[in-house]
């Protein structure tokens, strides 16, 4: 599936100086040649956003010895697009890894996550891709228990490949005692927003987005269930959003434009 | 499925002053009470981004008589969240419509599109939701041929409802002679980026994202095929991104963390 020394693209959404991407770079250096293209500032919650209304900067930086690194003013998805087009110039990397995110991207969070959207974009580009996330938002999050799994999962993808249009969403619970790996489906859930309502010094109101995660799916085959039981969750992920099951029913609807 | 006078939330990603949302508001006024929460500036390509690093403004505006309208400084998804939490305050609208977008959101564009992400967010919130898009980026796009279909499709959703977690992605080709409606699946495709490379007045390089749409799927059941043959495409859409078909195979992989 890969050459003797695979080329690995590393991206994230927390920004190029985040502790999580440093751990990911260190683990990937054990497996191949590492090229990093990551945002120059935090881009959490950017989903699959791309930058179309303004120009994008891409600049070489040297943070870690022996690693080719670029910081990018755009979104995580921009980083992957620029990596493929401007850094690799058509030579496709053997693997695209995104993260390690500070905070979980299980369940419906796959949609909001810049980390996962970068991995999705990697898969759209035809690169075997993995997003990694840890259940700890803090700057001093402990990524040590995740390290051997990050390396092992990336090695498995290099060895076995992935089907076209399939990527992996890997999440780690925040525990020293990981129970192993569980292959899961995305749990059904949503956020219940509250919006912190405040008044600015000029008397005008503004809002901060806050919210509570509401799990609506107790299935034992879900990523939420695996994580709450101390397992590393892996959700094989794809990006055909068609609801194939509803096609027969909606075909019976009548759309009379002359109503 | 709905009360005598349904309440309809209208959102978009081109901004509250775009011609496309005006058409959508006019058609929805024929069906019920309309409440608009839309971005105060263009938000194309924002995907499922949410605003978490800065505060959001939400202000009442009066653009069209008899319509309750709010402009929002956030993303299209923020608009839906603020509508549900701050405008409707728990009373759920009967329908959420997004658009009409200036530009197609068929195929893989569902991922990049703020229009479609707002509709997806509506569906996550449990509201029957539809995204509408027209194959014309220009300010003076001709929405007239689409009007009767927009009303008819919205009416059908009000009459029949939609399954939980299902929404509709509706696209219109740019033609006076629409051939009718086709129920489709999302076509397989991707963008091949070029990045327009320029030098700023200080001698530093920057990039503009450009690209060519590359259709990789000639299936006659796809939205791309329907649109290129003059049909209105409707893709029933869902947001479980699990690749269920790959679960059996990846279950045979070995993730040895002690490698």
């Amino acid at each position: 599936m890969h050459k003797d020394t695979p080329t690995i693209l590393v991206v994230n959404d927390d920004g190029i100086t985040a502790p999580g991407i440093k751990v990911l770079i260190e683990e990937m250096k054990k497996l191949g040649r590492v090229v990093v293209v990551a945002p120059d500032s935090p881009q959490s919650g950017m989903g699959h956003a791309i930058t179309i209304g303004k120009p994008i900067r891409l600049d070489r930086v040297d943070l870690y010895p022996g690693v080719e690194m670029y910081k990018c003013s755009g979104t995580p998805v921009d980083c992957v697009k620029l990596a493929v087009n401007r850094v690799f110039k058509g030579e496709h990397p053997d693997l695209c890894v995104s993260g390690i995110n500070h905070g979980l991207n299980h369940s419906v969070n796959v949609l909001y996550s810049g980390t996962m959207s970068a991995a999705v974009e990697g898969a759209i580009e035809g690169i075997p891709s993995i997003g990694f996330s840890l259940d700890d938002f803090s700057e001093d999050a402990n990524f040590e228990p995740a390290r051997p799994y990050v390396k092992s999962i990336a090695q498995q993808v290099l060895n076995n490949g992935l089907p076209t249009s399939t990527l992996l969403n890997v999440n780690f619970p925040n525990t020293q005692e990981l129970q192993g790996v569980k292959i899961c489906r995305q749990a059904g859930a949503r956020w219940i927003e509250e919006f912190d309502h405040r008044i600015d010094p000029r008397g005008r109101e503004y809002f901060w987005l806050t919210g509570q995660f509401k799990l609506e799916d107790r299935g034992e085959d879900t990523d939420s269930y695996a994580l709450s039981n101390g397992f590393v969750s892996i959700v094989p992920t794809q990006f055909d959003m068609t609801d194939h099951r509803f096609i027969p029913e909606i075909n019976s609807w009548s759309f009379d434009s002359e109503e």
Side-chain angles (χ1 to χ4, degrees), chain A:
Chain A
M1 197 67 204
H2 61 95
K3 296 151 290 188
D4 285 347
T5 302
T7 299
I8 303 172
L9 169 63
V10 177
V11 298
N12 80 341
D13 78 351
D14 289 318
I16 200 161
T17 61
I21 198 171
K22 182 165 187 280
V23 173
L24 191 51
I25 291 166
E26 287 164 357
E27 293 304 314
M28 293 305 106
K29 277 180 76 176
K30 299 173 185 169
L31 300 177
R33 176 171 82 94
V34 172
V35 177
V36 180
V37 182
D40 60 13
S41 62
Q43 296 277 331
S44 293
M46 283 305 278
H48 214 95
I50 51 175
T51 302
I52 55 181
K54 58 183 182 184
I56 308 171
R57 300 281 186 176
L58 180 72
D59 293 300
R60 184 86 190 241
V61 288
D62 279 300
L63 293 184
Y64 308 120
V67 181
E68 187 178 338
M69 299 186 77
Y70 302 84
K71 67 182 165 91
C72 171
S73 65
T75 67
V77 170
D78 291 334
C79 289
V80 174
K81 288 181 179 291
L82 274 160
V84 168
N85 183 266
R86 295 296 307 186
V87 178
F88 290 104
K89 296 186 163 78
E91 171 231 355
H92 255 43
D94 300 286
L95 182 66
C96 170
V97 291
S98 181
I100 302 171
N101 192 63
H102 293 242
L104 284 180
N105 285 314
H106 67 317
S107 179
V108 73
N109 298 304
V110 64
L111 292 174
Y112 305 102
S113 162
T115 300
M116 279 307 299
S117 295
V120 169
E121 186 65 24
I124 292 173
E125 297 279 2
I127 309 165
S129 298
I130 315 169
F132 293 103
S133 306
L134 171 70
D135 186 14
D136 190 341
F137 283 104
S138 66
E139 273 292 301
D140 60 351
N142 180 13
F143 291 97
E144 294 310 312
R147 278 185 189 269
Y149 288 98
V150 168
K151 175 164 166 264
S152 161
I153 293 165
Q155 184 68 69
Q156 286 292 309
V157 169
L158 284 168
N159 291 349
N160 301 317
L162 285 172
T164 309
S165 307
T166 299
L167 62 148
L168 301 184
N169 182 11
V170 181
N171 282 272
F172 296 96
N174 190 5
T175 173
Q176 291 283 355
E177 306 287 335
L178 292 169
Q179 301 298 307
V181 167
K182 280 240 195 272
I183 309 300
C184 309
R185 65 174 173 84
Q186 172 186 325
R190 64 192 180 97
W191 287 87
I192 299 179
E193 277 73 33
E194 294 297 333
F195 288 103
D196 194 350
H197 179 219
R198 302 188 179 189
I199 306 294
D200 75 13
R202 294 178 176 199
R204 284 187 62 214
E205 64 180 3
Y206 65 97
F207 300 93
W208 285 101
L209 176 60
T210 63
Q212 258 196 308
F213 183 71
K214 188 177 176 202
L215 188 62
E216 293 169 323
D217 179 352
R218 302 281 161 186
E220 298 191 2
D221 56 347
T222 61
D223 50 3
S224 296
Y225 186 88
L227 290 161
S228 64
N229 286 278
F231 286 89
V232 181
S233 70
I234 301 183
V235 177
T237 299
Q238 55 82 49
F239 47 87
D240 175 8
M241 297 183 72
T242 309
D243 185 355
H244 293 275
R245 292 169 308 181
F246 191 56
I247 287 181
E249 184 174 333
I250 194 174
N251 259 317
S252 72
W253 290 16
S254 157
F255 301 100
D256 182 0
S257 69
E258 302 306 317
E259 196 179 345

